Amino acid sequence: MNIEQVLAMDEYQIFDRKSIQFAPTSLSDLICAFANADGGTVAIGISDKTKRIEGVDSYLSKVNELLRVPIDYCNPTVPVETEMVPCINADGKADHVLLIKVEASPLLHANQADEVFVRVGDKTKKLSFQDRLTLMYAKGLRYFEDEPVYGATLEDIDLPFVTEYIHKIGYAKTAEEYLKQNKNFIIAGDKISAAAILLFGKNPQRFFPRARIRFIRFDGVEAKVGKDMNVIKDVIFEGRILDQVQKAVDYIKIQMKERTYLGKDAVFVTEEEYGEFVRTEIVVNAATHRDYAIMGTDIQIKMFDDRLEVDSPGSFAGMVKKENIRYTHFSRNPKIAAFLKDYGFVKEYGEGVDRMCRELNALGLPDPTFDNNTFILKTIIRSAAYEKLPVGEKEVADSTQKLPIGEEKVADSAQKLPIGEKKVADSIQKLPIGEEEVANSDQKLPIQIYKKICQNTGYNEKAIRNLWRVYELIEVNQIFSASYIMKEMKCSERTSRNIISRLREMEVIVPVKGKGKGKYRFKYKSEM
């Protein structure tokens, strides 16, 4: 790496810049954070705010002190590699910048004060006691990608492909030297790691038969079996991880629906069922974070008329949970993640889920859902709506499948609707469209009235979706509060209070006395 490359890099998950005046104790926090996450590099001798090149040649004693940090200030010691990069400092003199390279560690590293940090985006985050415990559990075993593969030799590695890769990343030595000298691709002289086989192998499925991606296309909105089986496409993608990802992403594109119409200024517009980033991210996320130690199944991408489902072997990695997955990053396979980033499939570590949510929300679609079922992590993405109905006309979840509150599915599998067309389904009685009035005055505000109120509020689509989730969540005569909404919808306190405030503004709820402060119920038809 030269000085131009160092200056061109932005601070992110695996890179940071620090002044030569950076305190050793603070450097230990950063080094431990890199080791506890995906590894990384810190460039010493450049101001992290202005990118002013200070250099380190005039600060020999300070450099020596910083070089002792991984040993003297980190517990256990963090193995690092160092490099001096030639440069011209801000005074116009020849100088050097010190690079300290940290590998992702299978151990938990703390500073001298026994504080644990982890790298999250471009920040160094101190962990709470609970998060520290979670990280300790997650790091109880080595990374599977580092394990030696029984029977594998250098003959099983596609060296010409390795040569293409190292040219791409600017590595000047040979392919064999790269494997032996970097990231433990070759262990103890001749043992080939799982990462080396999965990323560079001639035939990875020889050693990992189910390390592959399977695409299944269903006709309809549910999977049927036996004489009603509705599978119309079933394709398996094998080879190296890069090959699998590229083929799967391309295949989703040709299988999904598109709608072309004449838009503004007489220009034809093509809308895709799944945006390019979203369909790429769900495949990359599965391939990057699957548990390759689970060898009895493969990654399965299931396309239905209204959604994509991705089943990936494994569970949430590290301290990632359903509740924090949007903003929390932890790589189960950091070498695979770094490799796919070099090929442009991973843009920024930890950004993928957040960006998916933002792109889906911009189309008026719900966030992806994530859930663990035994040893499978399921991700569900809703398809884009080309022919949108009025806000609130959403299908209630198919009674054959239990989904989290607010997840909309087509309720009547016998009736095929256009993509994204969502209607309100009465789980008790099928009424003609528009006649969803609640017959009994003892029930909560009729759905038609509530729908009209939502449409006339001027709130954005995300706010209206939250209001609809509350309407579906709260039962007849049920007393609820902001804290109840926060717990059941797994949202923030601020969001739950905003929901209550909007319901009051809409005049669809009334306060309940004698049950404590901040308690409400929905209005009845007779109260409107």
Side-chain angles (χ1 to χ4, degrees), residues 249 252 256 271-282 308 356 359-360 363 365 381-384 386:
V249 171
I252 290 174
M256 70 183 189
E271 291 181 346
E272 298 180 323
E273 190 175 3
Y274 301 98
E276 180 179 3
F277 179 84
V278 171
R279 64 178 184 259
T280 301
E281 176 63 22
I282 58 172
L308 274 177
M356 270 203 300
E359 292 201 3
L360 291 168
L363 296 172
L365 297 170
I381 304 288
R382 299 289 164 179
S383 65
Y386 296 143

Side-chain angles (χ1 to χ4, degrees), residues 305-449:
D305 286 356
D306 64 339
R307 68 193 185 280
L308 274 177
E309 293 186 3
V310 180
D311 292 343
S312 182
S315 57
F316 292 108
M319 58 186 180
V320 177
K321 299 182 282 290
K322 185 189 306 186
E323 296 77 18
N324 66 9
I325 191 170
R326 182 166 180 174
Y327 301 108
T328 302
H329 173 76
F330 187 92
S331 287
R332 177 179 279 113
N333 306 297
K335 294 179 178 62
I336 294 173
F339 176 88
L340 290 175
K341 187 178 191 308
D342 289 333
Y343 277 92
F345 282 102
V346 177
K347 302 300 181 185
E348 294 293 343
Y349 288 101
E351 129 179 291
V353 175
D354 180 48
R355 181 172 168 183
M356 270 203 300
C357 292
R358 287 188 277 113
E359 292 201 3
L360 291 168
N361 293 165
L363 296 172
L365 297 170
D367 292 345
T369 60
F370 303 88
D371 205 7
N372 265 131
N373 182 11
T374 60
F375 56 87
I376 297 294
L377 177 61
K378 181 183 289 292
T379 304
I380 300 177
I381 304 288
R382 299 289 164 179
S383 65
Y386 296 143
E387 298 175 13
K388 292 184 180 179
L389 296 179
V391 176
E393 294 189 1
K394 301 176 181 178
E395 286 289 350
V396 174
D398 185 2
S399 61
T400 61
Q401 182 178 0
K402 184 78 173 177
L403 292 179
I405 295 167
E407 292 304 316
E408 304 88 4
K409 278 189 60 182
V410 177
D412 184 2
S413 60
Q415 182 182 8
K416 195 163 183 178
L417 300 176
I419 296 172
E421 190 164 313
K422 303 164 186 175
K423 297 170 61 183
V424 178
D426 184 349
S427 61
I428 301 175
Q429 181 181 9
K430 184 86 174 177
L431 297 177
I433 297 173
E435 295 184 11
E436 300 94 340
E437 292 287 343
V438 178
N440 190 330
S441 63
D442 288 336
Q443 294 195 5
K444 66 185 178 186
L445 182 69
I447 196 166
Q448 279 296 92
I449 299 175

Side-chain angles (χ1 to χ4, degrees), residues 15-267:
F15 181 77
D16 209 335
R17 275 183 294 268
K18 294 300 177 188
S19 165
I20 185 61
Q21 304 301 334
F22 198 51
T25 52
S26 297
L27 181 61
S28 68
D29 299 345
L30 178 58
I31 289 176
C32 289
F34 278 147
N36 287 333
D38 301 308
T41 300
V42 54
I44 304 291
I46 304 176
S47 170
D48 58 342
K49 293 182 179 179
T50 64
K51 294 188 180 181
R52 179 179 181 273
I53 302 177
E54 305 164 332
V56 300
D57 291 358
S58 299
Y59 304 90
L60 184 58
S61 61
K62 183 73 173 180
V63 169
N64 288 334
E65 189 176 9
L66 294 177
L67 290 175
R68 291 195 298 269
V69 165
I71 299 173
D72 294 345
Y73 291 83
C74 301
N75 184 31
T77 295
V78 176
V80 301
E81 295 180 5
T82 60
E83 179 183 353
M84 285 292 192
V85 178
C87 66
I88 302 298
N89 65 28
D91 297 326
K93 298 179 180 179
D95 212 319
H96 289 86
V97 166
L98 170 64
L99 299 185
I100 300 178
K101 303 175 183 179
V102 183
E103 289 283 347
S105 173
L107 305 176
L108 184 81
H109 297 271
N111 63 14
Q112 274 195 322
D114 197 34
E115 297 168 324
V116 174
F117 292 81
V118 70
R119 187 73 171 178
V120 180
D122 61 351
K123 304 296 182 186
T124 299
K125 178 185 176 183
K126 181 180 176 181
L127 298 186
S128 66
F129 177 76
Q130 187 59 47
D131 284 340
R132 177 173 177 167
L133 283 178
T134 303
L135 187 59
M136 288 175 66
Y137 298 147
K139 285 180 170 285
L141 299 173
R142 292 172 56 88
Y143 291 112
F144 178 77
E145 64 178 7
D146 289 336
E147 294 297 323
V149 178
Y150 178 76
T153 69
L154 193 60
E155 288 296 315
D156 295 299
I157 300 297
D158 187 342
L159 291 178
F161 178 71
V162 180
T163 300
E164 291 178 19
Y165 173 68
I166 62 177
H167 285 167
K168 182 179 184 65
I169 63 174
Y171 187 83
K173 299 181 182 180
T174 67
E176 190 170 339
E177 286 174 315
Y178 174 76
L179 294 173
K180 290 181 177 180
Q181 298 174 13
N182 291 271
K183 299 187 177 181
N184 290 324
F185 283 125
I186 296 181
I187 310 163
D190 60 353
K191 296 178 181 178
I192 310 299
S193 71
I197 292 294
L198 292 168
L199 296 176
F200 305 115
K202 293 177 181 177
N203 180 17
Q205 282 68 44
R206 176 188 168 194
F207 302 97
F208 304 104
R210 302 298 291 273
R212 62 191 191 183
I213 298 175
R214 182 182 178 189
F215 176 92
I216 309 169
R217 177 74 166 95
F218 294 91
D219 182 21
V221 297
E222 60 180 313
K224 299 179 181 179
V225 298
K227 65 181 180 64
D228 297 322
M229 181 177 289
N230 58 334
V231 174
I232 56 178
K233 291 287 182 181
D234 192 342
V235 183
I236 292 175
F237 304 108
E238 295 186 334
R240 294 183 285 267
I241 286 177
L242 180 63
D243 299 327
Q244 296 178 36
V245 169
Q246 290 173 330
K247 292 174 183 177
V249 171
D250 291 343
Y251 200 76
I252 290 174
K253 180 175 175 61
I254 66 174
Q255 288 297 310
M256 70 183 189
K257 298 174 184 177
E258 293 182 347
R259 175 178 180 248
T260 300
Y261 60 91
L262 191 62
K264 295 181 180 179
D265 302 321
V267 176

